[in-house]
Amino acid sequence: MFRRIGSAVVRHPVWTIVAWLIAAVAIVATAPSLPSNSDESSFLPKSYESIKAADLQERAFPSAFTPSAIALYQRTDGGKLTAADQKDVARITSELGKKHIDQVQKVVPGQPSKDGRYAMTLVQMDSKNAGQPKQADAAKVLRDGAKKLAKGTDLDVKLGGSAAQALDQQDSSKRGQALIGIGTFVIILVTLLIIFRAPILAVLPLVLIGLVSAVANGLIAYATKLFDLQANSSISSILIVVLFGVGTDYFLFLIFRYRESLRAGDEPKEAMVNAVGRVGEAIASAAGAVIIAFLALVLSTLGFLKQMGPALAIAVAATLVAGLTLIPAVVSLIGPKVFWPSKSWQKEPENARFAALGRGVQRRPALTAVVSGLILLALSVGTFGYKATFDLASGSMPKTKESMVVQDEMQKAYSAGAAAPTDVYLSSTDGKPLDKSAFDAYARRLGAVDGVASARMTQVNKEGTTADFTVTLKYEASTDKAIDAVGRVRDVAHSTAPDGTEALVGGMSSIFKDINAAVNHDYKTVFPVAAVLIMVILGLLLRSVVAPWYLMASVGLGFGATLGATVWIFQEGQGHSGLMFMLPVIMYLFVVAIGTDYNILMIARLREEAREGRDPREAAGMALRHAGPTVAAAGFILAATFATMMLAGNSLLSEMGFAVSFGIAVAAFVMAMFFTPSLTALIGHAAWWPGHGDQAPDAGAGAGAGTGTAHSGVLRDDEDRDTVHDSAGRRG
């Protein structure tokens, strides 16, 4: 099938390119704009308690005051606020309210701090649009307006709260995307120049993948609108890396095989047909594993991951189609001039380092397997220290951003939980008014919970059927201590609710607790489903039941090593309180899915060498010799492009960038190059049970395993020419 695709594309390269250009223009011109949402609660389904509590609040207290932005005042000299300062705060609060800013519903004065050094203005916005870009726009108007009104006073004013965090996150995301994009381009360009010493080959993947990127983004926007998915600004940064990283991988898989066919003496167009025919199955299987792993995220309960899964799957699918059509068409049109001005493509270097590595694996497969396995196991020990953190806001932007400074200062000036209090909503189950005489005792029980600073009844709805108890925690809302404390608040709220009532606990800490439960659900569903589906793809590719098990075991070890190293670097080394809660899920999918690409490429080449009559050890050595340069180049570029995410300047993308780049490096340079080929050599022919994947396709039933007749001249028509040329080229 892949040879037929290659033949069609090489025969009609111009029409293939024109078809891509027309599709790109049509999709980009008609695609809807991609929305964005930074509201953590929107990532959870309606069945969770924190979301039920938020819905109840909207029904029972439609005009309830929940600040979306907080203006924090302090004197420029750091001293206590004077009477004149208090008047200035009141004036600024009043003037901000008179501006009638879009989305802003109320602007009221807040409580001063106990030490008298801070004062607040609280701003309520339309709760229906929480996390939307229009509220970030409102925060910008508020921030600029407050600073302008404070000019000529002794006050320093900063704007914080969820709307200001959305604004700062937006700005940080744009800067991060620019740095990631530039870094990705530079890494791909420089690395390809070093590998091939050919400017056309260095620029070509950037141009072609740029076209694919435009098509993929348009398709993602269509899918997001069609299926009503949640979007998040971080997805754009990840998409850049996935498209250019994975796209360059498939470009390299093809170009290395094209060069090998040219070295074997093939005519240029036939060399491209052979390249697509030989490496197409490995590319399609690798992309299939990635797509299925990403689609497994649809099973997630988090809206953020539900959106990410289909988006990344669409991006990889578009890249796969380009890898089998657009790239071969363009390269076949240019021909061997694509390698200009270098001449090194014409002949394989003698005593190449990968040939030496291959001989080492061939001679000592047991030692290679043990050493590489022990390295992975040693790094995996760090996973036992893993802790999760749920503060998406501070995780997605630098601590120096204004909203983050406000958050830190409020924790010092007020109770740490004051910026995001917890609400307990007590409702009657029979529709009758609540017994108000029980409120004080209920509030005392809530206030006595370990980790609670204060609890009081703040309001009752008009019908008297729902009461709101405001519970202020001693800890900042996203910390582990706050999440544990809100769990205890839930237990007490539920168990001590008066007869005929039920309690729901809302607020940010409650949302984070539910996100934690959702992530644990994902670990139990997404991980195993993705693993099983990838194993099915490996089984179909290799026609084996045995090989997929040890290939997935090696990838699992790679995941453990990656998580362990990330824990040591960020938690132990840099003192982070924990890693971003969704990191293990994302890391698992990237490391397992994309890391499997290199295992697939190596094992497919090993099978090909075995089919030419080589014994398992020699086949492993030859596979490393010929596929090693491809895996090394592709692995380095992909790891380096993911590492550019560390340039974004926030902990979420820094942790993600390090973890995925480290995982890709482990997958390419430890698993695919040493662990997988050495294990396959040790297991021998049994690795292909119950099929005969290591025998030549035309081997008779009586042929001994490993004695395939690839050299007998009885090859199938669609494989004879490139197999003989490959063999001749490798031995010449």
mmCIF file of all heavy atoms in Angstrom, residues 570-597:
data_model
loop_
_atom_site.group_PDB
_atom_site.id
_atom_site.type_symbol
_atom_site.label_atom_id
_atom_site.label_comp_id
_atom_site.label_asym_id
_atom_site.label_seq_id
_atom_site.Cartn_x
_atom_site.Cartn_y
_atom_site.Cartn_z
ATOM 1 N N PHE A 570 13.020 19.360 39.886
ATOM 2 C CA PHE A 570 12.142 20.481 40.254
ATOM 3 C C PHE A 570 11.737 20.469 41.725
ATOM 4 O O PHE A 570 11.689 21.527 42.355
ATOM 5 C CB PHE A 570 10.902 20.502 39.358
ATOM 6 C CG PHE A 570 11.205 20.923 37.946
ATOM 7 C CD1 PHE A 570 11.465 19.986 36.955
ATOM 8 C CD2 PHE A 570 11.273 22.264 37.620
ATOM 9 C CE1 PHE A 570 11.769 20.378 35.661
ATOM 10 C CE2 PHE A 570 11.581 22.668 36.328
ATOM 11 C CZ PHE A 570 11.832 21.726 35.349
ATOM 12 N N GLN A 571 11.411 19.299 42.282
ATOM 13 C CA GLN A 571 11.006 19.273 43.684
ATOM 14 C C GLN A 571 12.207 19.295 44.622
ATOM 15 O O GLN A 571 12.260 20.100 45.556
ATOM 16 C CB GLN A 571 10.164 18.014 43.967
ATOM 17 C CG GLN A 571 8.755 18.088 43.429
ATOM 18 C CD GLN A 571 7.889 16.896 43.806
ATOM 19 O OE1 GLN A 571 6.921 16.589 43.146
ATOM 20 N NE2 GLN A 571 8.242 16.212 44.875
ATOM 21 N N GLU A 572 13.162 18.429 44.358
ATOM 22 C CA GLU A 572 14.331 18.360 45.242
ATOM 23 C C GLU A 572 15.336 19.460 44.928
ATOM 24 O O GLU A 572 15.845 20.129 45.817
ATOM 25 C CB GLU A 572 15.001 16.975 45.112
ATOM 26 C CG GLU A 572 14.071 15.789 45.347
ATOM 27 C CD GLU A 572 13.454 15.782 46.726
ATOM 28 O OE1 GLU A 572 14.093 16.289 47.668
ATOM 29 O OE2 GLU A 572 12.312 15.284 46.866
ATOM 30 N N GLY A 573 15.625 19.646 43.629
ATOM 31 C CA GLY A 573 16.655 20.606 43.241
ATOM 32 C C GLY A 573 16.221 22.053 43.348
ATOM 33 O O GLY A 573 16.922 22.890 43.923
ATOM 34 N N GLN A 574 15.030 22.381 42.791
ATOM 35 C CA GLN A 574 14.586 23.775 42.759
ATOM 36 C C GLN A 574 13.600 24.114 43.872
ATOM 37 O O GLN A 574 13.159 25.252 43.978
ATOM 38 C CB GLN A 574 13.958 24.082 41.396
ATOM 39 C CG GLN A 574 14.950 23.985 40.244
ATOM 40 C CD GLN A 574 14.379 24.526 38.945
ATOM 41 O OE1 GLN A 574 13.339 25.164 38.917
ATOM 42 N NE2 GLN A 574 15.068 24.267 37.849
ATOM 43 N N GLY A 575 13.237 23.135 44.685
ATOM 44 C CA GLY A 575 12.379 23.405 45.836
ATOM 45 C C GLY A 575 10.929 23.655 45.526
ATOM 46 O O GLY A 575 10.215 24.269 46.325
ATOM 47 N N HIS A 576 10.431 23.193 44.357
ATOM 48 C CA HIS A 576 9.008 23.340 44.062
ATOM 49 C C HIS A 576 8.202 22.499 45.047
ATOM 50 O O HIS A 576 8.596 21.390 45.414
ATOM 51 C CB HIS A 576 8.703 22.871 42.629
ATOM 52 C CG HIS A 576 9.209 23.802 41.573
ATOM 53 N ND1 HIS A 576 8.736 23.801 40.283
ATOM 54 C CD2 HIS A 576 10.158 24.776 41.609
ATOM 55 C CE1 HIS A 576 9.360 24.722 39.582
ATOM 56 N NE2 HIS A 576 10.250 25.316 40.365
ATOM 57 N N SER A 577 7.033 23.019 45.453
ATOM 58 C CA SER A 577 6.193 22.274 46.403
ATOM 59 C C SER A 577 5.624 21.017 45.774
ATOM 60 O O SER A 577 5.245 20.070 46.467
ATOM 61 C CB SER A 577 5.047 23.162 46.892
ATOM 62 O OG SER A 577 4.256 23.589 45.797
ATOM 63 N N GLY A 578 5.555 20.990 44.461
ATOM 64 C CA GLY A 578 5.063 19.824 43.732
ATOM 65 C C GLY A 578 5.124 20.107 42.246
ATOM 66 O O GLY A 578 5.489 21.205 41.827
ATOM 67 N N LEU A 579 4.773 19.112 41.440
ATOM 68 C CA LEU A 579 4.716 19.273 39.994
ATOM 69 C C LEU A 579 3.267 19.526 39.593
ATOM 70 O O LEU A 579 2.339 19.102 40.273
ATOM 71 C CB LEU A 579 5.234 18.016 39.292
ATOM 72 C CG LEU A 579 6.655 17.558 39.662
ATOM 73 C CD1 LEU A 579 7.007 16.300 38.897
ATOM 74 C CD2 LEU A 579 7.673 18.659 39.373
ATOM 75 N N MET A 580 3.060 20.215 38.476
ATOM 76 C CA MET A 580 1.708 20.492 38.004
ATOM 77 C C MET A 580 0.899 19.200 37.902
ATOM 78 O O MET A 580 1.389 18.203 37.381
ATOM 79 C CB MET A 580 1.764 21.165 36.635
ATOM 80 C CG MET A 580 1.898 22.662 36.720
ATOM 81 S SD MET A 580 0.458 23.396 37.525
ATOM 82 C CE MET A 580 1.248 24.698 38.438
ATOM 83 N N PHE A 581 -0.326 19.250 38.386
ATOM 84 C CA PHE A 581 -1.123 18.037 38.562
ATOM 85 C C PHE A 581 -1.330 17.247 37.274
ATOM 86 O O PHE A 581 -1.441 16.028 37.296
ATOM 87 C CB PHE A 581 -2.487 18.386 39.173
ATOM 88 C CG PHE A 581 -3.384 19.196 38.274
ATOM 89 C CD1 PHE A 581 -4.263 18.590 37.397
ATOM 90 C CD2 PHE A 581 -3.353 20.582 38.322
ATOM 91 C CE1 PHE A 581 -5.090 19.336 36.578
ATOM 92 C CE2 PHE A 581 -4.182 21.342 37.512
ATOM 93 C CZ PHE A 581 -5.052 20.719 36.634
ATOM 94 N N MET A 582 -1.402 17.943 36.098
ATOM 95 C CA MET A 582 -1.664 17.203 34.859
ATOM 96 C C MET A 582 -0.388 16.706 34.190
ATOM 97 O O MET A 582 -0.450 16.018 33.189
ATOM 98 C CB MET A 582 -2.457 18.064 33.873
ATOM 99 C CG MET A 582 -1.639 19.064 33.087
ATOM 100 S SD MET A 582 -1.283 20.559 33.997
ATOM 101 C CE MET A 582 -2.787 21.454 33.682
ATOM 102 N N LEU A 583 0.783 17.009 34.788
ATOM 103 C CA LEU A 583 2.049 16.661 34.152
ATOM 104 C C LEU A 583 2.206 15.158 33.899
ATOM 105 O O LEU A 583 2.587 14.760 32.797
ATOM 106 C CB LEU A 583 3.222 17.201 34.981
ATOM 107 C CG LEU A 583 4.601 16.996 34.363
ATOM 108 C CD1 LEU A 583 4.736 17.777 33.061
ATOM 109 C CD2 LEU A 583 5.693 17.431 35.326
ATOM 110 N N PRO A 584 1.935 14.269 34.892
ATOM 111 C CA PRO A 584 2.111 12.839 34.617
ATOM 112 C C PRO A 584 1.248 12.332 33.460
ATOM 113 O O PRO A 584 1.689 11.502 32.676
ATOM 114 C CB PRO A 584 1.720 12.169 35.941
ATOM 115 C CG PRO A 584 1.988 13.198 36.978
ATOM 116 C CD PRO A 584 1.623 14.501 36.326
ATOM 117 N N VAL A 585 0.007 12.861 33.337
ATOM 118 C CA VAL A 585 -0.854 12.422 32.238
ATOM 119 C C VAL A 585 -0.268 12.853 30.901
ATOM 120 O O VAL A 585 -0.141 12.060 29.961
ATOM 121 C CB VAL A 585 -2.287 13.005 32.394
ATOM 122 C CG1 VAL A 585 -3.154 12.615 31.205
ATOM 123 C CG2 VAL A 585 -2.922 12.514 33.680
ATOM 124 N N ILE A 586 0.106 14.128 30.803
ATOM 125 C CA ILE A 586 0.677 14.653 29.560
ATOM 126 C C ILE A 586 1.992 13.952 29.243
ATOM 127 O O ILE A 586 2.254 13.549 28.107
ATOM 128 C CB ILE A 586 0.886 16.180 29.668
ATOM 129 C CG1 ILE A 586 -0.479 16.875 29.776
ATOM 130 C CG2 ILE A 586 1.668 16.720 28.481
ATOM 131 C CD1 ILE A 586 -0.405 18.344 30.104
ATOM 132 N N MET A 587 2.822 13.786 30.267
ATOM 133 C CA MET A 587 4.122 13.150 30.080
ATOM 134 C C MET A 587 3.963 11.702 29.627
ATOM 135 O O MET A 587 4.665 11.239 28.728
ATOM 136 C CB MET A 587 4.879 13.194 31.406
ATOM 137 C CG MET A 587 6.343 12.897 31.292
ATOM 138 S SD MET A 587 7.084 13.104 32.907
ATOM 139 C CE MET A 587 6.451 11.674 33.741
ATOM 140 N N TYR A 588 3.018 11.013 30.247
ATOM 141 C CA TYR A 588 2.770 9.618 29.869
ATOM 142 C C TYR A 588 2.431 9.525 28.387
ATOM 143 O O TYR A 588 2.986 8.709 27.651
ATOM 144 C CB TYR A 588 1.621 9.069 30.708
ATOM 145 C CG TYR A 588 1.162 7.678 30.324
ATOM 146 C CD1 TYR A 588 1.816 6.550 30.807
ATOM 147 C CD2 TYR A 588 0.076 7.493 29.486
ATOM 148 C CE1 TYR A 588 1.390 5.281 30.461
ATOM 149 C CE2 TYR A 588 -0.356 6.228 29.133
ATOM 150 C CZ TYR A 588 0.296 5.124 29.632
ATOM 151 O OH TYR A 588 -0.121 3.863 29.280
ATOM 152 N N LEU A 589 1.531 10.407 27.938
ATOM 153 C CA LEU A 589 1.085 10.336 26.555
ATOM 154 C C LEU A 589 2.197 10.720 25.577
ATOM 155 O O LEU A 589 2.386 10.072 24.552
ATOM 156 C CB LEU A 589 -0.134 11.231 26.368
ATOM 157 C CG LEU A 589 -1.375 10.703 27.102
ATOM 158 C CD1 LEU A 589 -2.424 11.782 27.222
ATOM 159 C CD2 LEU A 589 -1.941 9.496 26.404
ATOM 160 N N PHE A 590 2.956 11.758 25.912
ATOM 161 C CA PHE A 590 4.032 12.165 25.006
ATOM 162 C C PHE A 590 5.169 11.145 24.999
ATOM 163 O O PHE A 590 5.661 10.749 23.950
ATOM 164 C CB PHE A 590 4.574 13.543 25.408
ATOM 165 C CG PHE A 590 3.750 14.680 24.894
ATOM 166 C CD1 PHE A 590 2.837 15.323 25.706
ATOM 167 C CD2 PHE A 590 3.863 15.100 23.590
ATOM 168 C CE1 PHE A 590 2.060 16.363 25.241
ATOM 169 C CE2 PHE A 590 3.097 16.150 23.103
ATOM 170 C CZ PHE A 590 2.185 16.783 23.933
ATOM 171 N N VAL A 591 5.584 10.735 26.183
ATOM 172 C CA VAL A 591 6.730 9.825 26.270
ATOM 173 C C VAL A 591 6.362 8.445 25.744
ATOM 174 O O VAL A 591 7.109 7.829 24.986
ATOM 175 C CB VAL A 591 7.255 9.735 27.722
ATOM 176 C CG1 VAL A 591 8.314 8.672 27.848
ATOM 177 C CG2 VAL A 591 7.793 11.085 28.164
ATOM 178 N N VAL A 592 5.171 7.960 26.130
ATOM 179 C CA VAL A 592 4.756 6.634 25.679
ATOM 180 C C VAL A 592 4.452 6.635 24.185
ATOM 181 O O VAL A 592 4.924 5.782 23.442
ATOM 182 C CB VAL A 592 3.524 6.148 26.475
ATOM 183 C CG1 VAL A 592 2.938 4.889 25.864
ATOM 184 C CG2 VAL A 592 3.920 5.873 27.922
ATOM 185 N N ALA A 593 3.671 7.621 23.742
ATOM 186 C CA ALA A 593 3.258 7.628 22.343
ATOM 187 C C ALA A 593 4.400 8.008 21.407
ATOM 188 O O ALA A 593 4.756 7.255 20.501
ATOM 189 C CB ALA A 593 2.087 8.589 22.159
ATOM 190 N N ILE A 594 4.983 9.176 21.642
ATOM 191 C CA ILE A 594 6.045 9.629 20.737
ATOM 192 C C ILE A 594 7.306 8.798 20.946
ATOM 193 O O ILE A 594 8.024 8.486 19.997
ATOM 194 C CB ILE A 594 6.313 11.134 20.935
ATOM 195 C CG1 ILE A 594 5.044 11.927 20.601
ATOM 196 C CG2 ILE A 594 7.458 11.598 20.054
ATOM 197 C CD1 ILE A 594 5.154 13.412 20.781
ATOM 198 N N GLY A 595 7.585 8.420 22.192
ATOM 199 C CA GLY A 595 8.746 7.563 22.448
ATOM 200 C C GLY A 595 8.638 6.231 21.745
ATOM 201 O O GLY A 595 9.641 5.627 21.336
ATOM 202 N N THR A 596 7.399 5.752 21.555
ATOM 203 C CA THR A 596 7.186 4.493 20.845
ATOM 204 C C THR A 596 7.583 4.614 19.381
ATOM 205 O O THR A 596 7.924 3.616 18.740
ATOM 206 C CB THR A 596 5.706 4.061 20.970
ATOM 207 O OG1 THR A 596 5.367 3.976 22.356
ATOM 208 C CG2 THR A 596 5.462 2.704 20.342
ATOM 209 N N ASP A 597 7.544 5.842 18.829
ATOM 210 C CA ASP A 597 7.974 6.052 17.433
ATOM 211 C C ASP A 597 9.347 5.445 17.178
ATOM 212 O O ASP A 597 9.571 4.759 16.168
ATOM 213 C CB ASP A 597 8.065 7.554 17.123
ATOM 214 C CG ASP A 597 6.701 8.185 16.911
ATOM 215 O OD1 ASP A 597 5.697 7.507 17.173
ATOM 216 O OD2 ASP A 597 6.654 9.345 16.484
#
